[in-house]
Amino acid sequence: ETLPDWLRDVFAADLGVQFETTAQALLERAPVDLRVNLGKLSVQQASAQLADAQIEVRSVSGVPSALRVLTNPRRVASAQIYLNGGVELQDAASQAVVAALPKDGRVLDYCAGGGGKALALAEDPDRKVFAHDIDPRRMADLPGRADRAGAQITSLSTEQTAQSEKFDIVLCDAPCSGSGAWRRAAEGKWTLTPDQLATLNQTQDDILDKAATLIAAGGVLAYATCSVLACENDDIVAAFLKS
């Protein structure tokens, strides 16, 4: 069985003809993707250095900074190119979110977590990058990761964020069911309940409402999740725009 009954109905309603292929894909092993630190080296240079470490990679269509690991993924963490900040572990989909944003200005990663997207954002020298998370402990490793990558990122508390100068871009990679990433955490589909999903929807609404107050005139509010469910994506955005 690929999904609990109640989720099967939600998936089928939201995904239509893509339901079966999506449900099947969530049973497969997720790929290992790397983000090349383009501030340090080119994709070609990164590929060559990884090959020297006997890690074979290929590019990912539509995501210029992404390399997909084809062999020896366990060697990545000990490879010199990883240790010196030349590559980071990051899904191509996450990299695509960053690639879609404007290339300059004051940028706030509002739900930063471990800071992967903040690090990617900081590669562009025309951006001034800030990171916030409602639980600052999630960002504990970010200063060390930023040092390794040669990135400038300012971490802000919730109070500092509210008092700060407005931002040109606010990225909300909101907490969600993770339904689009259940290849990595299959237990999520069996532990999620309708009540938990409703609570997540309320959190997503709240995040957008708060983030909207932080944007400068003419700025960009970007919303993303790791979910394939309409109630966490299209429905949240539609309700926000209506309000």
Side-chain angles (χ1 to χ4, degrees):
E1 189 68 27
T2 56
L3 291 165
D5 289 343
W6 77 272
L7 265 177
R8 173 178 285 273
D9 293 341
V10 175
F11 263 66
D14 288 356
L15 296 171
V17 295
Q18 294 181 308
F19 164 56
E20 290 292 348
T21 54
T22 302
Q24 189 60 40
L26 291 175
L27 298 176
E28 299 169 2
R29 184 186 293 267
V32 175
D33 294 334
L34 303 175
R35 177 179 56 78
V36 179
N37 185 344
L38 297 176
K40 286 195 167 193
L41 74 173
S42 69
V43 171
Q44 292 75 20
Q45 289 170 324
S47 298
Q49 291 185 34
L50 289 162
D52 289 342
Q54 291 162 345
I55 301 167
E56 183 184 355
V57 295
R58 67 166 175 83
S59 60
V60 178
S61 177
V63 190
S65 58
L67 290 173
R68 181 150 293 168
V69 177
L70 304 178
T71 61
N72 294 323
R74 293 184 179 179
R75 293 193 179 188
V76 170
S78 60
Q80 193 59 43
I81 187 175
Y82 175 81
L83 296 173
N84 67 19
V87 296
E88 281 275 351
L89 288 161
Q90 187 175 45
D91 283 343
S94 294
Q95 297 180 52
V97 170
V98 172
L101 298 175
K103 304 300 181 187
D104 55 14
R106 287 168 51 84
V107 186
L108 174 64
D109 185 356
Y110 188 64
C111 307
K117 290 185 180 67
L119 287 167
L121 286 162
E123 275 185 11
D124 196 309
D126 294 325
R127 289 183 177 129
K128 188 171 184 181
V129 179
F130 300 82
H132 162 272
D133 198 279
I134 193 68
D135 182 355
R137 292 172 296 181
R138 294 178 186 144
M139 300 191 295
D141 294 337
L142 182 53
R145 295 178 72 189
D147 285 344
R148 193 173 77 237
Q152 298 295 317
I153 299 171
T154 303
S155 294
L156 299 176
S157 67
T158 298
E159 184 179 12
Q160 289 171 325
T161 301
Q163 295 171 350
S164 175
E165 178 185 341
K166 301 295 186 183
F167 301 92
D168 301 298
I169 305 167
V170 178
L171 169 61
C172 301
D173 182 15
C176 69
S177 65
S179 58
W182 281 339
R183 292 186 294 183
R184 299 194 189 283
E187 69 279 1
K189 60 188 172 184
W190 302 109
T191 58
L192 183 69
T193 67
D195 284 347
Q196 288 171 339
L197 186 56
T199 299
L200 284 166
N201 292 158
Q202 184 60 59
T203 299
Q204 292 151 1
D205 285 334
D206 292 345
I207 284 171
L208 276 181
D209 288 342
K210 290 173 182 173
T213 68
L214 305 174
I215 302 173
V220 172
L221 174 59
Y223 176 77
T225 72
C226 299
S227 175
V228 298
L229 302 180
C231 68
E232 298 187 272
N233 293 305
D234 306 59
D235 295 353
I236 296 295
V237 172
F240 171 78
L241 293 175
K242 186 176 180 181
S243 68

